[in-house]
Amino acid sequence: MKTEDSDDAIRKKIKSLASPYGQEEIDAVYNYVKQQQTDPERKYYLIGFISLAGLIIFGSLTLNIFQVQKQTNLEHTIDTLKKNLAKSEANNKLIKTDTIYVNNYLAEKGGNNAVANSKNSTQSQPDVTFNSTIPSKKDFNKKSTNKNIVSNNTPLSSRKKNTYLASNGINNKSKTIKTTGNDKLAHYQEVAPSLTQNGTNNTKINESVSKYEKLNKTIAYIIENDVKKDSLTVPQANKFNTENDSSLSKKDTVNSIKNSNNIAIIDSTTNASRKKEFSLAKNLEYRAGVGFEVANSQLGYSILGEMVYKKKLIISVGLKYLSTGKELFSDDDDYHHHKNKNFKNSYAQQVKDSIHHNIKISNTVFQIPITFSYSFQLKKNFSLIFGIGTDIDLYAVQHVEYRHPVTNSDFTQKKFDVKQPTLYFNNTVLSTGLQKQFKHFVFQLSPFVSPQLKNVTYKTESVYYGLRIRAYYCF
Amino acid sequence: MFFRKKIAFKENDIESIISACLANNHLAQKALIKLFFGFAKNIGLPYVDNEQDVDDIINDGFLKVFNNLSKYDHSKPFKIWFKAIIINAAIDYYRKNKKHANQISIDYIEIINEGEDIISKISAQEILNLVQKLPPTYRMVFSLYVIDGYNHREIGEMLGIQEGTSKSNLQDARKKLQLMIKKNYPHLYLAHSLQTNKINEN
């Protein structure tokens, strides 16, 4: 029983105790609660922003998957069409008729007429050279004339007309040349011994054969080059071949072809190296423009430059003028209540009077905004942009205004500016948004969130949410 | 959500303050703190060994109050709900600092029932100081049982100990308290023992 009595006595004593406390203790608890308590509005903003960002990312990924699928389907269709085209081409072979004229002599064994013919021919055509051409359309009429001349001088059986099929492409054409050339050579080899036996114009015929062999080697050389070398060289060689072979002598033709071929090869390699040199510069695009942003009662105006690599990676740098909205405090107590500091002590050098009303504080900051963005192309010149960056603070100044009561009814307005210490790197900016290009102009609209990594006097919020609009001109 | 209307409140009307606090009115929060700060301090003081530590309990307690204000049942007195939260904050504080708690063996102390007489002659502040000097484990059980009126089963659940442990801790706390009174106020014990002897002689 005594224990219970003593317990009651202790309880009564302690309950009756009224511990003294001051306003500072209440303020301390209030500040602690305010600092620790999660602001429901901020929570909603954060949830909204995260949801929006998530939706954009999900949407872009889905769109990307659809586009990839669509592209695969299109590629498949193109492949099918190509195959069909190749098949139809194979079925409908294009028949090109070309004529090769061979001026030569046919020796008939043991026949004087043949020798006589031969003689006659030699007399009528003293310079017997092989004249093989693949006539161009321009030369066709000319060749027709030759044909007539030849037909007068040679028997019908000696004329050999080759008709060949030519498919698309230079190689086939070259093959045809080679085939035709080989036929001619074989024919010459057949004809040569009989001519030698006859003992007439042997030297000239041998010369013709040797010249033809040289030409044949040249053709083989061209064909090799046609196959091996860059396709750029082929048209030049062929062009030369077809245009000049009738006007130049065979030796000159060979040299010219060789030279032209070499030049073509040199030209093609030079172009490739140039392409490599300028590929980086070609992929870069430069933009200059202006920007405007609004976030948590602060406004920013900027001049910007952008460098875009392959229309995907964007580096943006500029100069920004940032103006924070005015903080308003009715009096010293209100200032102390919000800032947990004494107004007079905060601006001891500038504020000498003791009573202050209508305190207004705003800031001006000059910054270098840097953003690294990735652009995801959508349809109709639209693209999604995802960016990360920071604002490097160069200079900050605080503008303070307040009213000081002179008498009960009169007030004096006082103003002063205080330069604030800056931290170059104190925040990070995460943004996601939409970009639209109209010819040379690019417009960007992007919401952003900017958490403060370090505290500075001119930024009061721990996280800034805002919207950014930028317009650029592409050079 | 974005354009919320601020609810007005009266500084002495707890219901209007609570409603305004629920609407995130900072001034109402401040008013509530002002209204219940002394009460919270009185609840917290017996659970700590100095006045500085009680600030942690009060800060944490008020934060819990504001974060859980929506759960408050308006049909019950706010003061009881508030007291429970402050005591919970004190228990949390004790748990956080449990590793620093020193157990002292007090087997050698003889049990003396000093009774109401001696206690009545010691001031409230002196009694509080003595309670605060108890080892943390004993202080917790003693404060919960003697000052705030919880039973051993509740104390066991709150502190995560056995009911028997709570009883023995309370017993040890009493012994320790008696020892301190005897040490700090020997004249009171002398007077008390003389009085007791006289009664016995008669």
Side-chain angles (χ1 to χ4, degrees):
Chain A
M1 193 67 189
K2 277 204 167 184
T3 309
E4 283 171 8
D5 291 343
S6 65
D7 282 355
D8 283 339
I10 290 169
R11 187 184 299 117
K12 278 175 192 168
K13 284 271 181 184
I14 289 177
K15 293 274 179 187
S16 66
L17 191 72
S19 302
Y21 60 90
Q23 183 65 33
E24 294 80 22
E25 285 177 279
I26 292 168
D27 287 343
V29 175
Y30 173 71
N31 289 329
Y32 174 82
V33 169
K34 199 180 170 187
Q35 201 180 2
Q36 296 292 319
Q37 210 178 6
T38 47
D39 190 351
E41 278 180 16
R42 188 177 292 172
K43 207 180 354 180
Y44 289 131
Y45 283 134
L46 201 65
I47 290 166
F49 185 81
I50 290 166
S51 308
L52 186 72
L55 208 66
I56 289 170
I57 291 166
F58 178 75
S60 67
L61 283 173
T62 315
L63 200 72
N64 191 17
I65 290 163
F66 277 121
Q67 278 189 336
V68 167
Q69 188 67 35
K70 201 175 175 181
Q71 196 181 345
T72 316
N73 289 342
L74 281 171
E75 279 172 359
H76 182 70
T77 314
I78 289 166
D79 285 345
T80 317
L81 285 170
K82 272 182 183 175
K83 279 177 189 172
N84 290 341
L85 194 69
K87 273 183 188 174
S88 65
E89 275 178 356
N91 292 334
N92 306 319
K93 282 177 183 173
L94 290 170
I95 299 170
K96 283 187 181 176
T97 309
D98 206 346
T99 313
I100 290 175
Y101 302 95
V102 178
N103 298 333
N104 60 11
Y105 292 89
L106 280 178
E108 289 178 8
K109 284 181 183 177
N112 288 330
N113 290 334
V115 177
N117 272 338
S118 191
K119 273 184 180 177
N120 289 335
S121 298
T122 313
Q123 281 167 3
S124 62
Q125 281 185 300
D127 184 19
V128 180
T129 52
F130 174 70
N131 186 15
S132 172
T133 57
I134 303 168
S136 63
K137 282 182 182 176
K138 285 180 184 176
D139 296 336
F140 187 76
N141 293 330
K142 196 180 170 183
K143 297 299 166 191
S144 300
T145 318
N146 281 341
K147 186 184 172 185
N148 291 333
I149 294 162
V150 170
S151 65
N152 289 332
N153 294 332
T154 55
L156 192 64
S157 59
S158 67
R159 277 183 279 140
K160 196 169 184 178
K161 194 185 274 183
N162 280 339
T163 303
Y164 64 94
L165 297 172
S167 62
N168 286 342
I170 296 147
N171 288 341
N172 287 337
K173 200 171 180 181
S174 303
K175 276 179 192 171
T176 315
I177 296 166
K178 192 181 179 183
T179 316
T180 319
N182 285 336
D183 289 346
K184 283 171 186 171
L185 182 64
H187 184 69
Y188 262 101
Q189 280 166 351
E190 278 177 17
V191 170
S194 63
L195 289 172
T196 313
Q197 276 178 359
N198 288 324
T200 317
N201 297 321
N202 283 349
T203 320
K204 284 185 177 178
I205 290 166
N206 284 337
E207 277 175 13
S208 298
V209 170
S210 65
K211 278 181 180 178
Y212 187 75
E213 279 175 347
K214 278 182 182 175
L215 180 62
N216 198 39
K217 281 178 186 173
T218 310
I219 292 163
Y221 175 77
I222 294 164
I223 291 158
E224 268 187 321
N225 279 331
D226 283 347
V227 175
K228 288 178 182 174
K229 301 295 178 186
D230 190 350
S231 60
L232 283 169
T233 63
V234 175
Q236 290 190 33
N238 280 334
K239 191 182 173 188
F240 191 91
N241 199 6
T242 51
E243 284 180 1
N244 299 319
D245 57 358
S246 60
S247 58
L248 293 171
S249 69
K250 302 294 173 293
K251 204 169 184 178
D252 291 341
T253 310
V254 171
N255 290 333
S256 302
I257 289 166
K258 280 183 178 174
N259 290 337
S260 68
N261 218 1
N262 289 339
I263 290 162
I265 292 161
I266 291 161
D267 282 351
S268 66
T269 50
T270 316
N271 285 337
S273 63
R274 276 178 193 165
K275 270 183 185 176
K276 278 179 187 173
E277 277 175 26
F278 292 106
S279 62
L280 184 70
K282 265 186 181 179
N283 290 324
L284 282 176
E285 186 182 303
Y286 299 95
R287 298 170 182 170
V290 291
F292 169 74
E293 68 178 50
V294 55
N296 296 51
S297 75
Q298 66 179 26
L299 295 174
Y301 309 90
S302 48
I303 303 165
L304 298 147
E306 267 194 359
M307 196 162 71
V308 187
Y309 179 68
K310 283 189 174 179
K311 293 190 173 181
K312 283 192 182 298
L313 299 173
I314 307 167
I315 299 170
S316 166
V317 183
L319 184 68
K320 186 161 79 179
Y321 169 86
L322 187 77
S323 170
T324 65
K326 279 181 181 170
E327 288 181 277
L328 302 170
F329 308 101
S330 56
D331 52 22
D332 293 287
D333 289 341
D334 194 25
Y335 182 88
H336 183 263
H337 169 69
H338 283 95
K339 295 265 185 184
N340 207 22
K341 283 189 287 187
N342 185 283
F343 177 70
K344 194 179 176 182
N345 294 344
S346 301
Y347 304 99
Q349 288 185 339
Q350 291 82 13
V351 179
K352 303 293 176 193
D353 33 35
S354 53
I355 303 166
H356 319 96
H357 293 287
N358 290 1
I359 301 164
K360 296 172 186 174
I361 299 172
S362 62
N363 298 283
T364 300
V365 190
F366 286 93
Q367 300 173 317
I368 296 178
I370 300 173
T371 315
F372 298 94
S373 312
Y374 177 78
S375 171
F376 180 78
Q377 294 289 324
L378 302 172
K379 285 178 182 178
K380 294 179 182 175
N381 286 335
F382 274 103
S383 51
L384 285 171
I385 43 172
F386 305 97
I388 184 166
T390 186
D391 296 318
I392 295 171
D393 294 348
L394 298 177
Y395 176 79
V397 64
Q398 197 164 65
H399 314 288
V400 184
E401 269 181 68
Y402 69 92
R403 291 173 79 185
H404 169 64
V406 181
T407 61
N408 286 339
S409 56
D410 288 341
F411 289 89
T412 52
Q413 189 80 17
K414 293 193 175 179
K415 282 184 190 180
F416 59 89
D417 293 340
V418 190
K419 189 181 177 298
Q420 298 295 304
T422 53
L423 273 173
Y424 287 131
F425 180 69
N426 60 63
N427 74 336
T428 182
V429 184
L430 302 166
S431 63
T432 175
L434 208 60
Q435 179 180 277
K436 168 77 178 168
Q437 184 157 9
F438 294 105
K439 293 179 181 176
H440 279 282
F441 292 94
V442 173
F443 299 95
Q444 294 174 354
L445 180 75
S446 48
F448 67 90
V449 58
S450 171
Q452 277 299 122
L453 303 176
K454 290 175 184 172
N455 288 331
V456 282
T457 52
Y458 44 92
K459 289 178 183 174
T460 50
E461 303 289 331
S462 57
V463 183
Y464 285 87
Y465 305 94
L467 186 73
R468 197 160 63 189
I469 301 166
R470 287 176 174 181
Y472 292 98
Y473 178 79
C474 304
F475 297 103
Chain B
M1 182 177 98
F2 297 105
F3 305 101
R4 196 172 41 215
K5 194 183 172 185
K6 286 207 169 183
I7 295 172
F9 65 94
K10 288 177 186 171
E11 288 209 353
N12 294 321
D13 181 11
I14 185 67
E15 283 302 320
S16 71
I17 290 173
I18 290 166
S19 302
C21 284
L22 285 168
N24 205 30
N25 187 334
H26 293 290
L27 290 173
Q29 287 183 347
K30 198 168 185 179
L32 188 83
I33 293 167
K34 203 172 179 178
L35 214 60
F36 285 88
F37 186 86
F39 181 61
K41 197 172 182 179
N42 282 345
I43 296 166
L45 274 172
Y47 293 92
V48 290
D49 55 6
N50 60 66
E51 283 210 21
Q52 282 72 46
D53 289 350
V54 82
D55 291 341
D56 291 338
I57 294 172
I58 294 169
N59 284 342
D60 195 33
F62 273 107
L63 186 64
K64 280 180 179 172
V65 165
F66 292 121
N67 285 342
N68 297 290
L69 202 57
S70 55
K71 294 172 191 169
Y72 162 62
D73 182 1
H74 288 256
S75 62
K76 290 171 185 172
F78 180 75
K79 223 171 177 178
I80 292 171
W81 183 76
F82 182 84
K83 184 183 170 184
I85 284 184
I86 298 294
I87 289 169
N88 280 334
I91 291 166
D92 287 345
Y93 180 81
Y94 159 73
R95 282 190 184 134
K96 269 186 211 169
N97 299 282
K98 204 176 180 180
K99 57 186 174 182
H100 305 299
N102 297 318
Q103 296 284 354
I104 299 170
S105 175
I106 47 171
D107 291 341
Y108 60 91
I109 300 170
E110 66 173 305
I111 301 164
I112 302 163
N113 284 327
E114 69 279 5
E116 203 178 343
D117 298 340
I118 297 174
I119 300 297
S120 62
K121 285 169 189 170
I122 304 170
S123 72
Q125 188 60 49
E126 285 169 332
I127 288 172
L128 180 68
N129 290 343
L130 290 173
V131 171
Q132 284 180 335
K133 281 176 187 170
L134 284 170
T137 314
Y138 300 156
R139 186 173 62 232
M140 287 305 295
V141 176
F142 184 84
S143 299
L144 286 168
Y145 186 88
V146 175
I147 300 167
D148 291 312
Y150 289 96
N151 59 41
H152 287 295
R153 187 180 54 79
E154 288 169 328
I155 293 166
E157 284 170 6
M158 286 163 125
L159 299 179
I161 56 173
Q162 295 291 320
E163 203 177 319
T165 313
S166 174
K167 282 176 185 172
S168 68
N169 279 349
L170 180 67
Q171 195 71 357
D172 290 345
R174 282 202 181 105
K175 286 177 195 170
K176 178 72 180 167
L177 202 61
Q178 284 167 7
L179 191 72
M180 284 191 292
I181 292 169
K182 196 176 180 182
K183 193 179 172 186
N184 291 308
Y185 309 98
H187 57 282
L188 293 176
Y189 258 90
L190 189 65
H192 177 70
S193 53
L194 285 171
Q195 199 178 352
T196 311
N197 289 337
K198 270 184 186 177
I199 292 165
N200 289 337
E201 281 170 10
N202 291 332

